[in-house]
Amino acid sequence: MTGWLTRHPTALSEEDRAALKDVLAHCPELDTAAEHVRGSGEILPSRLGATLPAWINVVDASQLPGLTGFALHLLRDLDAVTAGLTLEWSSGCTEGAVNRIKKIKRSRTKAARANTLSPVRTVWESHDK
């Protein structure tokens, strides 16, 4: 279901499109959610960040719990989100490098913690016997 909603309609097979249409016909809330997801799908690749506040208002008015919460959280830093959806440059490469470094540090910390705690456990265990 999620794949049907998040993929571009032209990327769906005829069978998937028919199944999605059938499901949406039986669930008005899901049909509304699908419209909102498609709307965000138009904003993202087209860099239409200026239309984001209108999209948020429409989603908020629909009162669909998951989407409404997501949309309202975007308001917390609307300027940054709008810039990210509007400007051509991206900090994606930098963010990827930072995340990779954090992952390496976490793995080293876990290994160091395991090495320092092992002897302590052994001492306590032998003391209890």
Side-chain angles (χ1 to χ4, degrees), residues 29-53:
E29 292 85 6
L30 190 56
D31 188 36
T32 302
E35 289 177 28
H36 296 324
V37 169
R38 278 188 227 108
S40 69
E42 293 172 12
I43 293 172
L44 295 171
S46 304
R47 299 210 176 272
L48 300 173
T51 63
L52 186 63

Side-chain angles (χ1 to χ4, degrees), residues 92-125:
C93 294
T94 303
E95 290 296 327
V98 168
N99 286 335
R100 190 178 77 251
I101 291 168
K102 286 181 181 179
K103 183 178 176 182
I104 292 168
K105 285 176 73 174
R106 277 193 300 269
S107 68
R108 287 183 182 172
T109 302
K110 286 179 185 177
R113 198 175 303 143
N115 288 338
T116 58
L117 291 179
S118 295
V120 173
R121 287 186 191 147
T122 305
V123 170
W124 286 343
E125 289 171 4

